Amino acid sequence: LRGVRSRRPLSTTPRGHREYTRMMLGFFNRRRFISASVLGSAAGLTFEHGPLVAQLKAGAPAPRAAAAAPPTAKIGKLTISRLICGGNLFSGFAHSGDLLYVSSLLKHYFAPDKILDTLQLCEESGINTCILRTDEQIAGILKRYRKERGGKLQWIAQTYPKADNLKDNIKLAIDNGAVGAYAMGGVADTFFKEGRIDLVGEVVAFIRQNGLIAGVGSHSLETPKASEQRGFNPDFYFKTINAVGYESQSPAEVAALMKTIEKPWIAFKVLGAGRMKPRDGFELAFKSGADFINVGMYDFQVGEDVALAREVIAKVKKENV
């Protein structure tokens, strides 16, 4: 972890990774931390991990809601905050390369009640939409959030249609209150690579038939290109952009294509899975034409990210006048 060094070297064996995970979680459970020099980026560490370790120290103040809400914009009939709460962290997807312990760490940190707290803090800070994966765990969390916290966050569902079963996972999202949906970027890109891009069109059509806003997700530029050429007419695109080449093309290429598309664009992986500082990632996305950014946040980062999004959006708007 950034800013934390083990008393013993990290083993490269599966057993060593498991032992290291237990050791780190033991430190967190006992609130014991070791101050040391920051490990280099060659180890695969990212900007994500330092703040998490710092927050877990004894005496960390409880996170508070942002003072003012982020601006909003429209996708179809919906009004959506231009900063959207992402869900990879909630589900333990750390995108941390060879650091196998980080996903386990996230799952321990984001226990169900912590996810509820984070969603509530987002809503209290003016974020009105979340993008979360579609599975039974998330459906259950959202059901609890609405019942126990009176939550009204809009859920845009990241779905996982299969070539031989396009509808079932999407139905799970529909049945659990999603207001929008799209096929996960890797799924849509695979359909394109396999010469079955028309399946993406079928997904869009099915989502819209059920009254939800429908999107097309992708890491590749070829998927939105093909969607436009085939006339799938989604309500929005969900496309990566960052300056470190993390599951995305160069920012100039992405911006050039998205400028030719009139549909709203939700940008994601804008921090390159923690490899970019928030200000740099936010500015790059909005300056490149993104209408919204989807960002995974720890609870203690929500207020800071909301304030930063407001500042960056105002700056970009002023520069474009």
Side-chain angles (χ1 to χ4, degrees):
L1 286 175
R2 193 176 180 215
V4 175
R5 188 181 295 278
S6 167
R7 294 179 186 265
R8 59 184 175 177
L10 174 63
S11 172
T12 58
T13 67
R15 179 180 178 184
H17 280 301
R18 289 194 296 272
E19 291 177 353
Y20 188 76
T21 299
R22 287 194 293 270
M23 179 187 69
M24 292 303 294
L25 293 173
F27 280 153
F28 296 142
N29 290 338
R30 295 188 301 273
R31 294 184 175 228
R32 293 173 56 198
F33 292 82
I34 303 170
S35 296
S37 60
V38 175
L39 300 181
S41 60
L45 297 169
T46 71
F47 289 111
E48 291 181 3
H49 308 136
L52 174 56
V53 173
Q55 181 68 15
L56 287 170
K57 289 182 178 178
R64 295 188 297 176
T72 61
K74 287 278 203 178
I75 298 182
K77 61 187 178 184
L78 300 179
T79 299
I80 295 174
S81 54
R82 297 187 66 185
L83 174 63
I84 297 171
C85 173
N88 271 354
L89 300 180
F90 298 162
S91 297
F93 295 108
H95 293 270
S96 298
D98 295 332
L99 298 179
L100 302 184
Y101 65 86
V102 179
S103 288
S104 180
L105 172 61
L106 286 176
K107 289 177 181 178
H108 280 76
Y109 183 79
F110 279 115
D113 284 348
K114 175 62 74 173
I115 297 176
L116 296 180
D117 291 344
T118 305
L119 293 175
Q120 182 174 348
L121 187 60
C122 284
E123 190 165 357
E124 291 173 351
S125 298
I127 296 173
N128 71 358
T129 303
C130 57
I131 295 180
L132 310 178
R133 66 183 278 113
T134 303
D135 59 25
E136 294 290 350
Q137 179 209 11
I138 290 299
I141 289 289
L142 289 171
K143 184 177 181 179
R144 282 190 59 193
Y145 181 61
R146 297 175 190 123
K147 181 178 180 180
E148 298 175 16
R149 307 289 178 97
K152 300 184 183 303
L153 275 177
Q154 301 175 118
W155 175 31
I156 296 177
Q158 177 170 282
T159 67
Y160 300 81
K162 300 178 181 178
D164 60 351
N165 184 357
L166 292 178
K167 297 181 179 179
D168 280 359
N169 191 248
I170 299 171
K171 286 179 180 177
L172 179 62
I174 294 168
D175 292 344
N176 284 279
V179 299
Y182 65 96
M184 180 260 192
V187 172
D189 289 344
T190 297
F191 287 162
F192 173 82
K193 291 174 184 176
E194 294 177 348
R196 308 190 71 181
I197 189 63
D198 286 344
L199 294 179
V200 175
E202 292 181 36
V203 167
V204 169
F206 180 70
I207 293 169
R208 297 187 78 174
Q209 286 166 10
N210 283 275
L212 285 67
I213 60 170
V216 171
S218 69
H219 302 147
S220 167
L221 284 171
E222 300 307 315
T223 301
K225 284 180 184 177
S227 175
E228 288 291 293
Q229 292 167 357
R230 300 294 184 96
F232 294 157
N233 194 31
D235 295 294
F236 65 92
Y237 284 96
F238 190 69
K239 173 71 184 78
T240 52
I241 186 170
N242 56 71
V244 295
Y246 190 78
E247 296 191 10
S248 188
Q249 299 72 33
S250 75
E253 287 182 272
V254 177
L257 175 66
M258 300 312 289
K259 284 179 181 178
T260 69
I261 296 176
E262 295 182 358
K263 300 293 184 180
W265 168 27
I266 303 174
F268 74 111
K269 297 198 186 303
V270 299
L271 304 184
R275 291 159 176 81
M276 293 179 64
K277 293 180 179 179
R279 180 176 296 277
D280 295 340
F282 286 21
E283 286 191 355
L284 176 64
F286 284 121
K287 285 182 178 180
S288 297
D291 301 285
F292 308 84
I293 57 173
N294 179 65
V295 181
M297 294 173 275
Y298 298 109
D299 50 345
F300 53 87
Q301 292 175 321
V302 172
E304 177 184 346
D305 285 350
V306 169
L308 180 59
R310 287 199 318 271
E311 179 185 336
V312 170
I313 291 169
K315 177 182 177 182
V316 171
K317 182 177 180 180
K318 184 177 181 180
E319 291 175 350
N320 290 337
V321 170

